Every structure is written in C-alpha cells, then in structure tokens.
Amino acid sequence: MAAPDESVVHGSKAQPKDLPALDKLLRDCAPLLAEHGHTLVAREARALLDGLRMRAVAGELMRLELDALPASLAARVQARLQPAMRAVLNLTGTVIHTNLGRALLADAALQQVLALMGAPNNLEFDLAAGGRGDRDDLVEDLLCELTGAEAATVVNNNAAAVLLSIAALAHGREVIVSRGELVEIGGAFRMPDVMAAAGATLVEVGTTNRTHPRDYEQAVTPRTGLIVKVHTSNYQVQGFTAAVDEATLSAIAHAAGLPLMTDLGSGALVDLSKYGLPAEPLPQAMLAAGCDVVTFSGDKLLGGPQAGLIVGSRAAIGTIRKSPMKRALRLSKLPLAALEATLRLYLRPERLAQDLPTLRLLTRSHAQIADLAQRLLPEVAAAVAPRFSVETVALQSQIGSGSLPVERLPSAGLAIAALDGRGRTLEALATALRALPRPVIGRVQDDRLLLDLRCLEEPALLTSQLGLLKEALA
Ligand SMILES: *Cc1c(COP(=O)(O)O)cnc(C)c1O
C-alpha cells in the first residue's frame, strides 16, 4: 500500500511548475531518442508538454499523470509514425468500392510490386537491344492479345485515358456524343467538362432516352473530329429508349472518315456471364464492332491497379501516343508492374476466379457467405451485448464503381440493432467499429448496422478484434 503522504501528492493537482523541462524529459527518454533521433522525439515532447501545461493552468492536470510522461511520449511518437492510409475491412457489400480503394490486387501483382520497386528495372530499357525502350512495350502485346487490338497504351486512370484520347484525336474539332451518354462519373468528371478540358467542342445529339443513327449522320460537319460513345456505367436509362450500337455507329463514322471512340468505364476482359454474373460489354467486342479506340479502367472489373487502358487501331493509338499530354498522364512504374502481373493472370482464364480477388469476391456463393454469417453470429453477438442484438440476414451486394449499377448479388451478413432503439447508439457502434486497429466499415440502413460478409475472406481479421470492440462499448 502506498504511504499516505505519497497518495496525497499523487491525488493532487499539478501546477505548471511541476512539469519537467524539455531537456529533463528527453534525458528520461534516452532509448526513445536513440531509436528515433532528436527531431521527431523533441517535437513530440514539446507538443506533449505544451498540452499538459495548458491543462495544468486550467487546473485539470493530476500529478499522477506526470509519472506516465515517458510512456505518453513514446505513444505519441508511435502514433506519428502510423501511416494515415490503412487497411480496413470492407463489409459495406460494395465489392469494388471507390472510397475503399477499388480492386484488391492479386497475389501475383503484389509479389511483382514487392520484387521490382526496390531495385532498378527495365521500365524504359530494351533488354534485347540494349538501348532505350518504351514503358508501353511491357504490356502492349499482352493487351493486344487479350482484346484483339492492333495497338495499346496505358495512362494513369481511365479519366486520363478519355481526356488524352479526345485531346489527341479531336483538339480544336467537334466531338459528337449522344445526350443519353453525357455522364458524370463522380467528382468533377463530367463528359461535357472533359470535352472542354481536352480542347474539343461537344456536339450533343438525340435526346436523353433516344438517339438514332440519323442524329449522328446529321451532326457530322467538316469540323467534326471524332464520334464518342460512353458506356453509361453508373445508371441505366430504362423504358422507351434507343441507342445506336457500335457496329452501326462505326459504319457512320468511317463513311465520314472519322474515328469512333468508346469509353467503356468498367472494362471487364472476360465474359462475366460465364461466371454467373451479369454480362458487361467487353473491349474485344467493341473493337470487333469497329471502334477505333476503347478506353477502360484498370481498377474496376479488371481487378488491377489504378490505370487507364487505351486499346485500338494502330493509327489512332499512334496519334494518342504522340500527344504531349501522354507524358503528363503516363502510368508510373508501381501500377505498371501490378498491371502487367494482373494482365498475365488472364492468360489462364480457368484459374481466374481463384487468382483474381475481384472475381473471387464477386463469385463467392450465397451459401458460403450465409454459412460464415451463421458461424460469426455468436461471437459478434457476445461482443456487442448487452446493448445490441445481432441476427443473420440475407443481403444484396453491389459490384460497385459504377459497374452494373442495377444488378445485385445475393449475399448474407449480420444485422446489428440497438436494443434501446436509438440512432445515436447505433452511430456509436459504427464509430467504435471504425476505431478498431483494422477499421470495420459497414453500412447503416433502416436503423440497423449491416455487415455484408461477401468481402470477408479472413474471418480472423474480424474476430480477433471483437475483444477490443467489447471494451470500447463497455
Ligand atoms: C469509372 C469511369 C471513368 C473513370 O475511370 P477512372 O479509372 O476512375 O479514372 C470514366 N468513364 C466511365 C464510363 C467510367 O465508368
């Protein structure tokens, strides 16, 4: 038991004069200084002492806290070294979640990034000839083989692919687009604005729901430089509709001596219906229908890193590659390494549903997910008791990232409800889940917090944190 006078001292309030000088605190933290150096440790020590001094002045600082100064400083230093970008558990039910980093990289892509990025590599070096190479060469043949294109190039993302293609093919010219396809993808990426940024003049044809071949034909003038089709990936026009398909449109474009470009957005490279998923238009079909340029994303259905892929005719890709914008929008070696490894997975389509995480998650069976929900129910229920109740529920996952917006995949998960029935309590639970070392992101719907388990491939990542969750809720 502590001596009475000591407990009196420790239980009392600290005065500003009780705080150690910076030098004294640093001397007490020699191992920390030795490990991290003076700059970071001294900066954090100063900030720590400043904060304590303010609390001492306000009469809020207990002497007891001064004993913990070295530990507090070590914790602050550790916290500063934690990256702000962290792995989370995506239990939102949206598989390709733009806010959560879109596609997960395959093992092969991760290994390639790890193996190559700490060493020099042949990014722009022709190993056979021993001279300067082109970074596009690393993936061009592969992209041509997979899509049937004559030529291909890659840039930073699909927004860049669209911007670059229009700028290269139609700067200072008119570009014809259907009114039904003037999409906003999110943020500031709206087709009319992209046209303006690319230095092209947008010529809208048709109506929101119906556009006909004659609409395009009548809009062609000597000033026209390009016809563009945009895959309306994040919404659907239903009902009394008409659009002109690529085959018809390419005939119209080519008769007028114009190139036809299609922005596919999602960019699946394999027929998803073979995997029991809703079909998505393929670049290979667009090229076969006569498109001169097709653009799509690397990190949506393709399941790779952020990248913009441009495939098409040798002439069109050649023009695009020569644009000065290409250099500004080029793909860096990091995603390029991951993209090449991801594309090579497509050489073995029989294994794709295993090797490619995006496809693996999208094809996970409802039975398997429901079984997981059943198994996790008791542990999760124990962790959130007594304030919350948990039950298994059937859910509908979304593919995400604007892909196939109206399609749903039968899924399963856990629904957590606050027993006192208050929204604030549920909000506190969602906050506690997000504060875990591996933050858990669910979705709130109808006064319940839903955890869709489709994307939980390693249940231990959740269960190992349930103890912490219980403490946080206590
Ligand atoms: C997603 C999308 C884009 C933008 O692609 P990013 O890779 O996100 O830059 C452009 N067009 C369409 C139709 C899309 O769906």
Side-chain angles (χ1 to χ4, degrees):
M1 208 172 107
D5 59 332
E6 199 174 63
S7 79
V8 168
V9 170
H10 278 125
S12 62
K13 297 274 166 63
Q15 304 296 315
K17 66 175 169 48
D18 299 327
L19 289 168
L22 180 65
D23 285 354
K24 163 83 168 70
L25 176 57
L26 293 180
R27 276 198 304 281
D28 291 347
C29 298
L32 200 64
L33 270 177
E35 185 179 355
H36 300 289
H38 185 270
T39 307
L40 175 64
V41 178
R43 182 192 297 136
E44 290 309 313
R46 217 171 279 124
L48 175 63
L49 290 174
D50 286 349
L52 293 177
R53 193 167 299 112
M54 273 165 53
R55 290 180 49 220
V57 169
E60 292 169 355
L61 185 67
M62 307 307 283
R63 281 179 181 242
L64 196 60
E65 291 180 63
L66 299 182
D67 294 347
L69 278 185
S72 307
L73 182 55
R76 277 188 79 111
V77 168
Q78 273 314 325
R80 283 305 305 277
L81 293 174
Q82 286 304 311
M85 192 171 181
R86 293 158 63 192
V88 305
L89 289 181
N90 172 12
L91 304 190
T92 61
T94 300
V95 177
I96 309 171
H97 199 302
T98 292
N99 304 142
L100 302 180
R102 289 196 183 161
L104 317 181
L105 288 186
D107 278 341
L110 295 172
Q111 299 302 329
Q112 182 72 344
V113 170
L114 207 57
L116 286 189
M117 290 307 120
N121 55 56
N122 62 331
L123 177 66
E124 290 186 351
F125 187 78
D126 184 335
L127 287 172
R132 196 194 149 83
D134 187 323
R135 64 181 68 202
D136 279 355
D137 293 347
L138 298 168
V139 289
E140 183 172 18
D141 286 352
L142 208 44
L143 274 171
C144 290
E145 183 182 339
L146 294 170
T147 64
E150 287 175 5
T153 183
V154 288
V155 287
N156 181 57
N157 55 16
N158 188 39
V162 173
L163 178 70
L164 172 65
S165 300
I166 295 171
L169 298 171
H171 185 90
R173 315 285 300 270
E174 292 177 353
V175 178
I176 304 173
V177 187
S178 160
R179 287 196 172 87
E181 299 172 4
L182 293 172
V183 301
E184 173 182 311
I185 306 302
F189 192 84
R190 306 171 110 191
M191 253 321 145
D193 302 338
V194 173
M195 292 287 170
T201 305
L202 172 64
V203 174
E204 302 174 19
V205 296
T207 61
T208 305
N209 58 329
R210 291 172 72 81
T211 303
H212 306 284
R214 63 173 183 277
D215 294 326
Y216 287 98
E217 283 163 343
Q218 288 164 3
V220 173
T221 74
R223 295 177 303 279
T224 309
L226 180 69
I227 298 180
V228 169
K229 251 191 96 69
V230 185
H231 182 56
T232 56
S233 53
N234 53 5
Y235 70 98
Q236 256 186 18
V237 181
Q238 286 181 339
F240 185 55
T241 65
V244 183
D245 65 27
E246 276 76 5
T248 310
L249 203 48
S250 74
I252 294 170
H254 296 161
L258 296 168
L260 172 65
M261 165 180 155
T262 285
D263 173 23
L264 268 189
S266 296
L269 279 180
V270 289
D271 180 3
L272 294 179
S273 64
K274 285 202 185 118
Y275 299 89
L277 295 167
E280 176 80 357
L282 301 174
Q284 38 274 53
M286 297 292 123
L287 292 168
C291 291
D292 302 275
V293 175
V294 181
T295 64
F296 50 102
S297 282
D299 57 354
K300 292 183 181 171
L301 286 170
L302 191 131
Q306 180 186 306
L309 292 81
I310 312 177
V311 297
S313 69
R314 199 164 286 119
I317 299 295
T319 305
I320 289 167
R321 217 178 248 143
K322 283 205 280 296
S323 160
M325 258 197 213
K326 168 71 166 64
R327 173 64 174 75
L329 301 173
R330 74 182 183 186
L331 193 58
S332 112
K333 63 179 179 176
L334 233 137
L336 188 56
L339 178 64
E340 187 198 349
T342 305
L343 291 174
R344 287 200 191 280
L345 296 177
Y346 282 86
L347 297 176
R348 301 188 296 188
E350 295 83 359
R351 298 182 44 146
L352 206 58
Q354 268 317 302
D355 292 349
L356 196 70
T358 299
L359 198 53
R360 193 166 68 226
L361 294 173
L362 289 175
T363 55
R364 231 173 151 198
S365 77
H366 171 261
Q368 196 186 358
I369 307 168
D371 181 58
L372 176 61
Q374 203 62 53
R375 278 191 290 133
L376 290 182
L377 175 65
E379 274 182 87
V380 174
V384 300
R387 283 157 69 203
F388 301 91
S389 68
V390 187
E391 60 181 357
T392 59
V393 277
L395 295 170
Q396 302 281 314
S397 303
Q398 296 190 42
I399 294 174
S401 274
S403 309
L404 308 155
V406 295
E407 306 283 354
R408 292 287 182 273
L409 308 174
S411 187
L414 299 172
I416 310 179
L419 287 173
D420 67 6
R422 293 233 304 270
R424 283 238 310 280
T425 318
L426 203 61
E427 208 40 62
L429 173 66
T431 304
L433 283 165
R434 290 197 307 271
L436 290 170
R438 168 86 72 137
V440 175
I441 320 288
R443 68 177 202 268
V444 172
Q445 193 179 306
D446 300 333
D447 287 327
R448 295 189 304 176
L449 182 72
L450 303 178
L451 302 178
D452 186 316
L453 299 177
R454 172 175 296 278
C455 296
L456 186 67
E457 289 196 285
E458 287 180 67
L461 292 176
L462 178 65
T463 53
S464 64
Q465 301 193 104
L466 290 175
L468 283 173
L469 179 65
K470 190 162 184 64
E471 277 172 34
L473 294 175

